[in-house]
Amino acid sequence: ITQLAQNVAILTVVSVGTTFVIATAGIDLSIPSGIVLGEVFAVKALSMVPVGTGTAVDVQAEESTLAYLLAGLAGALLAGLAIGLVNGFTVGYMRIPPMLATLGSLGAGLGVALLMQNGVNVATYALNPAATGQLIPGVSNLVLIALVVVLVGYVGLHHTVFGRHTLAIGSNEEAARRVGINVRRHLLKVYVVGGLASGFAGFLAVAYFSTTSVAGHSTDNLQAITAVALGGTSLFGGIANVIGSLIGVWIPAVLQNGFVIIGVQPYWQMVAVGIVLVLAVWLDQVRRRTRSRR
């Protein structure tokens, strides 16, 4: 269980941001580019820290570690902010369908990351002690960070005006506009939240794995969308549940782990996850039709 929690921690962070986007009846396919750019920007920021190069295996000085953490985090969040602003502007102000807008930023973002790295991954160990450490004995810091993000996302979506406006836009965008919600500006903010979550996930990934992975996150967008759908968030907007997304992240992970234990071929894992996703969407449609009849 501890290992599974550690394995799904980064995807959990991404899924929280994706929950906000899908709650508006939108979708974010640019998650891989946000994560990869977050990794690349974090590494670039580390190289600018005056206390070192950011590639030393042994980082002992406490002030150096803090400087690395702040620099890497700032770089990753800057990348996520950029992706989020692009997505939010194209969806909210240019009125481009979310699927096409985020598909465009997916390709562009990955291209920029490859150009910045010349297509080569870069290793850095400066952030690894913080990610692999255990503030609470037996619990990885990575898991604690993911739980904090879930808590912040839960409060933000279910107990704030921002969250209520997000769900209102997903339920009926025109009605939300007529009651005074600035839909364009709010969509920009929502996609920024999604972008920041992806960038932060990139920071956690490079901290945990000690290397960038410019080709290693190609399916993270589908995994995040699957987790959010399995968690009870409606792909048609208006209904969302951050805690459900946390549970949804675990369902494919437990399925895959169980298949490994009983010796099922890895290819069947993808089939099973796909079937579960289709069933989740079908049940959501049935639920919506039942409510509309009432």
Side-chain angles (χ1 to χ4, degrees), residues 88-133:
F89 182 78
T90 53
V91 173
Y93 288 88
M94 297 179 67
R95 309 305 295 170
I96 296 176
M99 180 175 291
L100 296 178
T102 58
L103 184 62
S105 56
L106 167 64
L110 291 177
V112 170
L114 290 169
L115 286 171
M116 292 179 67
Q117 295 293 108
N118 292 320
V120 179
N121 289 316
V122 175
T124 175
Y125 298 90
L127 303 173
N128 190 255
T132 58

mmCIF file of all heavy atoms in Angstrom, residues 88-133:
data_model
loop_
_atom_site.group_PDB
_atom_site.id
_atom_site.type_symbol
_atom_site.label_atom_id
_atom_site.label_comp_id
_atom_site.label_asym_id
_atom_site.label_seq_id
_atom_site.Cartn_x
_atom_site.Cartn_y
_atom_site.Cartn_z
ATOM 1 N N GLY A 88 -6.024 28.744 -21.088
ATOM 2 C CA GLY A 88 -7.138 29.560 -20.635
ATOM 3 C C GLY A 88 -7.506 30.660 -21.621
ATOM 4 O O GLY A 88 -8.691 30.943 -21.839
ATOM 5 N N PHE A 89 -6.496 31.258 -22.245
ATOM 6 C CA PHE A 89 -6.771 32.324 -23.205
ATOM 7 C C PHE A 89 -7.427 31.770 -24.467
ATOM 8 O O PHE A 89 -8.394 32.338 -24.975
ATOM 9 C CB PHE A 89 -5.468 33.045 -23.576
ATOM 10 C CG PHE A 89 -5.665 34.181 -24.528
ATOM 11 C CD1 PHE A 89 -6.140 35.404 -24.093
ATOM 12 C CD2 PHE A 89 -5.387 34.020 -25.884
ATOM 13 C CE1 PHE A 89 -6.341 36.459 -24.980
ATOM 14 C CE2 PHE A 89 -5.579 35.062 -26.782
ATOM 15 C CZ PHE A 89 -6.056 36.281 -26.333
ATOM 16 N N THR A 90 -6.914 30.639 -24.957
ATOM 17 C CA THR A 90 -7.475 30.072 -26.184
ATOM 18 C C THR A 90 -8.887 29.534 -25.965
ATOM 19 O O THR A 90 -9.741 29.658 -26.838
ATOM 20 C CB THR A 90 -6.579 28.950 -26.728
ATOM 21 O OG1 THR A 90 -6.334 27.986 -25.692
ATOM 22 C CG2 THR A 90 -5.255 29.497 -27.222
ATOM 23 N N VAL A 91 -9.134 28.958 -24.794
ATOM 24 C CA VAL A 91 -10.467 28.413 -24.513
ATOM 25 C C VAL A 91 -11.434 29.514 -24.097
ATOM 26 O O VAL A 91 -12.561 29.598 -24.604
ATOM 27 C CB VAL A 91 -10.400 27.332 -23.413
ATOM 28 C CG1 VAL A 91 -11.800 26.897 -23.000
ATOM 29 C CG2 VAL A 91 -9.605 26.134 -23.897
ATOM 30 N N GLY A 92 -11.009 30.379 -23.164
ATOM 31 C CA GLY A 92 -11.910 31.380 -22.611
ATOM 32 C C GLY A 92 -12.150 32.568 -23.510
ATOM 33 O O GLY A 92 -13.290 33.037 -23.643
ATOM 34 N N TYR A 93 -11.100 33.087 -24.144
ATOM 35 C CA TYR A 93 -11.229 34.327 -24.910
ATOM 36 C C TYR A 93 -11.300 34.096 -26.423
ATOM 37 O O TYR A 93 -11.998 34.820 -27.132
ATOM 38 C CB TYR A 93 -10.054 35.255 -24.587
ATOM 39 C CG TYR A 93 -10.154 35.855 -23.211
ATOM 40 C CD1 TYR A 93 -9.638 35.189 -22.103
ATOM 41 C CD2 TYR A 93 -10.781 37.080 -22.999
ATOM 42 C CE1 TYR A 93 -9.739 35.728 -20.831
ATOM 43 C CE2 TYR A 93 -10.884 37.622 -21.732
ATOM 44 C CZ TYR A 93 -10.359 36.942 -20.652
ATOM 45 O OH TYR A 93 -10.470 37.490 -19.396
ATOM 46 N N MET A 94 -10.577 33.102 -26.931
ATOM 47 C CA MET A 94 -10.632 32.821 -28.368
ATOM 48 C C MET A 94 -11.750 31.853 -28.718
ATOM 49 O O MET A 94 -12.044 31.640 -29.884
ATOM 50 C CB MET A 94 -9.278 32.265 -28.837
ATOM 51 C CG MET A 94 -8.137 33.242 -28.676
ATOM 52 S SD MET A 94 -6.541 32.540 -29.204
ATOM 53 C CE MET A 94 -6.827 32.370 -30.966
ATOM 54 N N ARG A 95 -12.359 31.254 -27.679
ATOM 55 C CA ARG A 95 -13.503 30.337 -27.833
ATOM 56 C C ARG A 95 -13.170 29.125 -28.690
ATOM 57 O O ARG A 95 -14.016 28.600 -29.414
ATOM 58 C CB ARG A 95 -14.711 31.078 -28.417
ATOM 59 C CG ARG A 95 -15.091 32.351 -27.700
ATOM 60 C CD ARG A 95 -15.317 32.134 -26.233
ATOM 61 N NE ARG A 95 -16.461 31.277 -25.966
ATOM 62 C CZ ARG A 95 -16.761 30.779 -24.761
ATOM 63 N NH1 ARG A 95 -15.967 31.025 -23.736
ATOM 64 N NH2 ARG A 95 -17.817 30.020 -24.616
ATOM 65 N N ILE A 96 -11.935 28.668 -28.610
ATOM 66 C CA ILE A 96 -11.535 27.439 -29.295
ATOM 67 C C ILE A 96 -11.947 26.260 -28.418
ATOM 68 O O ILE A 96 -11.762 26.295 -27.198
ATOM 69 C CB ILE A 96 -10.014 27.422 -29.539
ATOM 70 C CG1 ILE A 96 -9.627 28.568 -30.483
ATOM 71 C CG2 ILE A 96 -9.558 26.084 -30.118
ATOM 72 C CD1 ILE A 96 -8.137 28.701 -30.700
ATOM 73 N N PRO A 97 -12.539 25.204 -28.995
ATOM 74 C CA PRO A 97 -12.928 24.040 -28.185
ATOM 75 C C PRO A 97 -11.753 23.523 -27.344
ATOM 76 O O PRO A 97 -10.626 23.440 -27.850
ATOM 77 C CB PRO A 97 -13.354 23.013 -29.238
ATOM 78 C CG PRO A 97 -13.799 23.837 -30.395
ATOM 79 C CD PRO A 97 -12.900 25.038 -30.411
ATOM 80 N N PRO A 98 -12.005 23.195 -26.076
ATOM 81 C CA PRO A 98 -10.922 22.784 -25.178
ATOM 82 C C PRO A 98 -10.055 21.646 -25.711
ATOM 83 O O PRO A 98 -8.838 21.659 -25.532
ATOM 84 C CB PRO A 98 -11.661 22.367 -23.900
ATOM 85 C CG PRO A 98 -12.927 23.145 -23.933
ATOM 86 C CD PRO A 98 -13.301 23.262 -25.378
ATOM 87 N N MET A 99 -10.684 20.677 -26.377
ATOM 88 C CA MET A 99 -9.902 19.551 -26.880
ATOM 89 C C MET A 99 -8.856 20.004 -27.900
ATOM 90 O O MET A 99 -7.691 19.605 -27.837
ATOM 91 C CB MET A 99 -10.817 18.494 -27.492
ATOM 92 C CG MET A 99 -10.067 17.272 -28.036
ATOM 93 S SD MET A 99 -11.166 15.978 -28.624
ATOM 94 C CE MET A 99 -11.875 15.409 -27.069
ATOM 95 N N LEU A 100 -9.260 20.880 -28.823
ATOM 96 C CA LEU A 100 -8.337 21.352 -29.850
ATOM 97 C C LEU A 100 -7.301 22.308 -29.267
ATOM 98 O O LEU A 100 -6.122 22.254 -29.618
ATOM 99 C CB LEU A 100 -9.115 22.040 -30.972
ATOM 100 C CG LEU A 100 -10.079 21.161 -31.767
ATOM 101 C CD1 LEU A 100 -10.808 21.981 -32.813
ATOM 102 C CD2 LEU A 100 -9.328 20.011 -32.424
ATOM 103 N N ALA A 101 -7.746 23.182 -28.365
ATOM 104 C CA ALA A 101 -6.830 24.160 -27.771
ATOM 105 C C ALA A 101 -5.722 23.473 -26.978
ATOM 106 O O ALA A 101 -4.536 23.788 -27.133
ATOM 107 C CB ALA A 101 -7.607 25.116 -26.869
ATOM 108 N N THR A 102 -6.110 22.525 -26.142
ATOM 109 C CA THR A 102 -5.108 21.847 -25.304
ATOM 110 C C THR A 102 -4.282 20.840 -26.099
ATOM 111 O O THR A 102 -3.145 20.552 -25.739
ATOM 112 C CB THR A 102 -5.784 21.156 -24.114
ATOM 113 O OG1 THR A 102 -6.762 20.211 -24.582
ATOM 114 C CG2 THR A 102 -6.468 22.168 -23.217
ATOM 115 N N LEU A 103 -4.853 20.313 -27.184
ATOM 116 C CA LEU A 103 -4.075 19.439 -28.056
ATOM 117 C C LEU A 103 -2.954 20.234 -28.729
ATOM 118 O O LEU A 103 -1.823 19.748 -28.873
ATOM 119 C CB LEU A 103 -4.975 18.802 -29.112
ATOM 120 C CG LEU A 103 -4.330 17.775 -30.051
ATOM 121 C CD1 LEU A 103 -3.810 16.573 -29.254
ATOM 122 C CD2 LEU A 103 -5.324 17.316 -31.108
ATOM 123 N N GLY A 104 -3.271 21.477 -29.115
ATOM 124 C CA GLY A 104 -2.249 22.329 -29.699
ATOM 125 C C GLY A 104 -1.136 22.664 -28.714
ATOM 126 O O GLY A 104 0.051 22.604 -29.055
ATOM 127 N N SER A 105 -1.502 23.006 -27.485
ATOM 128 C CA SER A 105 -0.478 23.334 -26.490
ATOM 129 C C SER A 105 0.293 22.096 -26.049
ATOM 130 O O SER A 105 1.439 22.204 -25.614
ATOM 131 C CB SER A 105 -1.120 24.015 -25.272
ATOM 132 O OG SER A 105 -2.147 23.220 -24.712
ATOM 133 N N LEU A 106 -0.332 20.919 -26.180
ATOM 134 C CA LEU A 106 0.391 19.676 -25.895
ATOM 135 C C LEU A 106 1.582 19.529 -26.839
ATOM 136 O O LEU A 106 2.721 19.330 -26.407
ATOM 137 C CB LEU A 106 -0.547 18.481 -26.047
ATOM 138 C CG LEU A 106 0.105 17.082 -26.093
ATOM 139 C CD1 LEU A 106 0.792 16.774 -24.771
ATOM 140 C CD2 LEU A 106 -0.930 16.016 -26.430
ATOM 141 N N GLY A 107 1.321 19.643 -28.138
ATOM 142 C CA GLY A 107 2.403 19.501 -29.104
ATOM 143 C C GLY A 107 3.425 20.607 -28.992
ATOM 144 O O GLY A 107 4.641 20.353 -29.024
ATOM 145 N N ALA A 108 2.957 21.849 -28.841
ATOM 146 C CA ALA A 108 3.876 22.981 -28.757
ATOM 147 C C ALA A 108 4.753 22.898 -27.507
ATOM 148 O O ALA A 108 5.969 23.141 -27.559
ATOM 149 C CB ALA A 108 3.090 24.285 -28.768
ATOM 150 N N GLY A 109 4.130 22.545 -26.386
ATOM 151 C CA GLY A 109 4.890 22.460 -25.138
ATOM 152 C C GLY A 109 5.952 21.386 -25.171
ATOM 153 O O GLY A 109 7.093 21.597 -24.730
ATOM 154 N N LEU A 110 5.603 20.215 -25.689
ATOM 155 C CA LEU A 110 6.596 19.140 -25.794
ATOM 156 C C LEU A 110 7.715 19.533 -26.749
ATOM 157 O O LEU A 110 8.892 19.212 -26.519
ATOM 158 C CB LEU A 110 5.920 17.851 -26.268
ATOM 159 C CG LEU A 110 4.963 17.181 -25.276
ATOM 160 C CD1 LEU A 110 4.307 15.955 -25.905
ATOM 161 C CD2 LEU A 110 5.707 16.775 -23.999
ATOM 162 N N GLY A 111 7.355 20.247 -27.823
ATOM 163 C CA GLY A 111 8.380 20.704 -28.759
ATOM 164 C C GLY A 111 9.354 21.667 -28.104
ATOM 165 O O GLY A 111 10.573 21.570 -28.294
ATOM 166 N N VAL A 112 8.842 22.609 -27.319
ATOM 167 C CA VAL A 112 9.698 23.561 -26.617
ATOM 168 C C VAL A 112 10.625 22.836 -25.640
ATOM 169 O O VAL A 112 11.821 23.147 -25.532
ATOM 170 C CB VAL A 112 8.840 24.600 -25.869
ATOM 171 C CG1 VAL A 112 9.707 25.445 -24.929
ATOM 172 C CG2 VAL A 112 8.116 25.496 -26.860
ATOM 173 N N ALA A 113 10.076 21.852 -24.928
ATOM 174 C CA ALA A 113 10.885 21.088 -23.971
ATOM 175 C C ALA A 113 12.023 20.350 -24.681
ATOM 176 O O ALA A 113 13.173 20.335 -24.213
ATOM 177 C CB ALA A 113 10.008 20.099 -23.215
ATOM 178 N N LEU A 114 11.724 19.749 -25.812
ATOM 179 C CA LEU A 114 12.752 19.030 -26.579
ATOM 180 C C LEU A 114 13.815 19.992 -27.096
ATOM 181 O O LEU A 114 15.007 19.668 -27.101
ATOM 182 C CB LEU A 114 12.107 18.270 -27.734
ATOM 183 C CG LEU A 114 11.248 17.069 -27.347
ATOM 184 C CD1 LEU A 114 10.448 16.560 -28.543
ATOM 185 C CD2 LEU A 114 12.119 15.942 -26.785
ATOM 186 N N LEU A 115 13.390 21.182 -27.529
ATOM 187 C CA LEU A 115 14.355 22.173 -28.014
ATOM 188 C C LEU A 115 15.269 22.635 -26.884
ATOM 189 O O LEU A 115 16.488 22.788 -27.077
ATOM 190 C CB LEU A 115 13.613 23.371 -28.603
ATOM 191 C CG LEU A 115 12.943 23.150 -29.967
ATOM 192 C CD1 LEU A 115 12.064 24.336 -30.323
ATOM 193 C CD2 LEU A 115 14.003 22.926 -31.047
ATOM 194 N N MET A 116 14.704 22.862 -25.721
ATOM 195 C CA MET A 116 15.499 23.334 -24.584
ATOM 196 C C MET A 116 16.500 22.289 -24.113
ATOM 197 O O MET A 116 17.573 22.628 -23.602
ATOM 198 C CB MET A 116 14.574 23.726 -23.431
ATOM 199 C CG MET A 116 13.715 24.952 -23.700
ATOM 200 S SD MET A 116 12.616 25.356 -22.316
ATOM 201 C CE MET A 116 13.813 25.837 -21.065
ATOM 202 N N GLN A 117 16.157 21.018 -24.282
ATOM 203 C CA GLN A 117 17.028 19.933 -23.814
ATOM 204 C C GLN A 117 17.766 19.249 -24.960
ATOM 205 O O GLN A 117 18.497 18.288 -24.723
ATOM 206 C CB GLN A 117 16.196 18.879 -23.078
ATOM 207 C CG GLN A 117 15.552 19.360 -21.796
ATOM 208 C CD GLN A 117 16.570 19.670 -20.722
ATOM 209 O OE1 GLN A 117 16.789 20.828 -20.417
ATOM 210 N NE2 GLN A 117 17.213 18.656 -20.173
ATOM 211 N N ASN A 118 17.563 19.727 -26.170
ATOM 212 C CA ASN A 118 18.150 19.079 -27.351
ATOM 213 C C ASN A 118 17.774 17.598 -27.426
ATOM 214 O O ASN A 118 18.542 16.767 -27.910
ATOM 215 C CB ASN A 118 19.687 19.222 -27.353
ATOM 216 C CG ASN A 118 20.125 20.658 -27.578
ATOM 217 O OD1 ASN A 118 19.538 21.376 -28.400
ATOM 218 N ND2 ASN A 118 21.134 21.084 -26.843
ATOM 219 N N GLY A 119 16.567 17.286 -26.902
ATOM 220 C CA GLY A 119 16.075 15.918 -26.951
ATOM 221 C C GLY A 119 16.756 14.976 -25.982
ATOM 222 O O GLY A 119 16.561 13.757 -26.060
ATOM 223 N N VAL A 120 17.557 15.508 -25.050
ATOM 224 C CA VAL A 120 18.327 14.666 -24.121
ATOM 225 C C VAL A 120 17.874 14.938 -22.698
ATOM 226 O O VAL A 120 17.691 16.095 -22.296
ATOM 227 C CB VAL A 120 19.842 14.947 -24.242
ATOM 228 C CG1 VAL A 120 20.620 14.092 -23.251
ATOM 229 C CG2 VAL A 120 20.315 14.700 -25.667
ATOM 230 N N ASN A 121 17.686 13.886 -21.918
ATOM 231 C CA ASN A 121 17.329 14.041 -20.508
ATOM 232 C C ASN A 121 18.535 14.478 -19.690
ATOM 233 O O ASN A 121 19.676 14.142 -20.014
ATOM 234 C CB ASN A 121 16.771 12.726 -19.946
ATOM 235 C CG ASN A 121 15.396 12.405 -20.488
ATOM 236 O OD1 ASN A 121 14.544 13.271 -20.564
ATOM 237 N ND2 ASN A 121 15.176 11.162 -20.871
ATOM 238 N N VAL A 122 18.268 15.214 -18.625
ATOM 239 C CA VAL A 122 19.325 15.715 -17.743
ATOM 240 C C VAL A 122 19.065 15.216 -16.323
ATOM 241 O O VAL A 122 17.947 15.330 -15.820
ATOM 242 C CB VAL A 122 19.375 17.256 -17.758
ATOM 243 C CG1 VAL A 122 20.403 17.764 -16.752
ATOM 244 C CG2 VAL A 122 19.702 17.764 -19.153
ATOM 245 N N ALA A 123 20.102 14.672 -15.699
ATOM 246 C CA ALA A 123 19.977 14.166 -14.329
ATOM 247 C C ALA A 123 20.321 15.254 -13.329
ATOM 248 O O ALA A 123 21.192 16.087 -13.566
ATOM 249 C CB ALA A 123 20.881 12.960 -14.125
ATOM 250 N N THR A 124 19.620 15.272 -12.227
ATOM 251 C CA THR A 124 19.924 16.179 -11.126
ATOM 252 C C THR A 124 19.532 15.509 -9.825
ATOM 253 O O THR A 124 18.446 14.939 -9.720
ATOM 254 C CB THR A 124 19.191 17.524 -11.265
ATOM 255 O OG1 THR A 124 19.456 18.315 -10.095
ATOM 256 C CG2 THR A 124 17.695 17.342 -11.422
ATOM 257 N N TYR A 125 20.421 15.570 -8.837
ATOM 258 C CA TYR A 125 20.165 14.922 -7.544
ATOM 259 C C TYR A 125 19.920 15.942 -6.440
ATOM 260 O O TYR A 125 19.773 15.577 -5.283
ATOM 261 C CB TYR A 125 21.352 14.027 -7.164
ATOM 262 C CG TYR A 125 21.591 12.911 -8.143
ATOM 263 C CD1 TYR A 125 22.444 13.084 -9.229
ATOM 264 C CD2 TYR A 125 20.950 11.690 -8.006
ATOM 265 C CE1 TYR A 125 22.653 12.068 -10.148
ATOM 266 C CE2 TYR A 125 21.149 10.665 -8.912
ATOM 267 C CZ TYR A 125 22.012 10.856 -9.985
ATOM 268 O OH TYR A 125 22.208 9.843 -10.894
ATOM 269 N N ALA A 126 19.876 17.220 -6.808
ATOM 270 C CA ALA A 126 19.768 18.265 -5.799
ATOM 271 C C ALA A 126 18.441 18.226 -5.055
ATOM 272 O O ALA A 126 18.379 18.600 -3.883
ATOM 273 C CB ALA A 126 19.952 19.635 -6.461
ATOM 274 N N LEU A 127 17.376 17.774 -5.717
ATOM 275 C CA LEU A 127 16.048 17.784 -5.100
ATOM 276 C C LEU A 127 15.661 16.443 -4.496
ATOM 277 O O LEU A 127 14.674 16.351 -3.782
ATOM 278 C CB LEU A 127 14.997 18.172 -6.150
ATOM 279 C CG LEU A 127 15.201 19.505 -6.864
ATOM 280 C CD1 LEU A 127 14.179 19.672 -7.982
ATOM 281 C CD2 LEU A 127 15.115 20.657 -5.883
ATOM 282 N N ASN A 128 16.428 15.409 -4.794
ATOM 283 C CA ASN A 128 16.041 14.057 -4.406
ATOM 284 C C ASN A 128 15.880 13.857 -2.898
ATOM 285 O O ASN A 128 14.933 13.195 -2.472
ATOM 286 C CB ASN A 128 17.035 13.042 -4.965
ATOM 287 C CG ASN A 128 16.553 11.615 -4.806
ATOM 288 O OD1 ASN A 128 17.039 10.888 -3.964
ATOM 289 N ND2 ASN A 128 15.585 11.225 -5.625
ATOM 290 N N PRO A 129 16.773 14.400 -2.057
ATOM 291 C CA PRO A 129 16.606 14.179 -0.613
ATOM 292 C C PRO A 129 15.267 14.657 -0.071
ATOM 293 O O PRO A 129 14.676 14.027 0.805
ATOM 294 C CB PRO A 129 17.768 14.978 -0.003
ATOM 295 C CG PRO A 129 18.792 15.031 -1.076
ATOM 296 C CD PRO A 129 18.014 15.142 -2.356
ATOM 297 N N ALA A 130 14.766 15.768 -0.608
ATOM 298 C CA ALA A 130 13.493 16.298 -0.117
ATOM 299 C C ALA A 130 12.323 15.415 -0.533
ATOM 300 O O ALA A 130 11.371 15.227 0.221
ATOM 301 C CB ALA A 130 13.289 17.716 -0.643
ATOM 302 N N ALA A 131 12.392 14.844 -1.741
ATOM 303 C CA ALA A 131 11.279 14.037 -2.245
ATOM 304 C C ALA A 131 11.257 12.646 -1.627
ATOM 305 O O ALA A 131 10.192 12.092 -1.371
ATOM 306 C CB ALA A 131 11.362 13.924 -3.765
ATOM 307 N N THR A 132 12.416 12.070 -1.410
ATOM 308 C CA THR A 132 12.483 10.704 -0.907
ATOM 309 C C THR A 132 12.537 10.641 0.618
ATOM 310 O O THR A 132 12.495 9.550 1.189
ATOM 311 C CB THR A 132 13.716 9.983 -1.474
ATOM 312 O OG1 THR A 132 14.903 10.717 -1.127
ATOM 313 C CG2 THR A 132 13.627 9.876 -2.986
ATOM 314 N N GLY A 133 12.656 11.803 1.263
ATOM 315 C CA GLY A 133 12.708 11.820 2.717
ATOM 316 C C GLY A 133 11.364 11.469 3.338
ATOM 317 O O GLY A 133 10.348 11.318 2.648
#
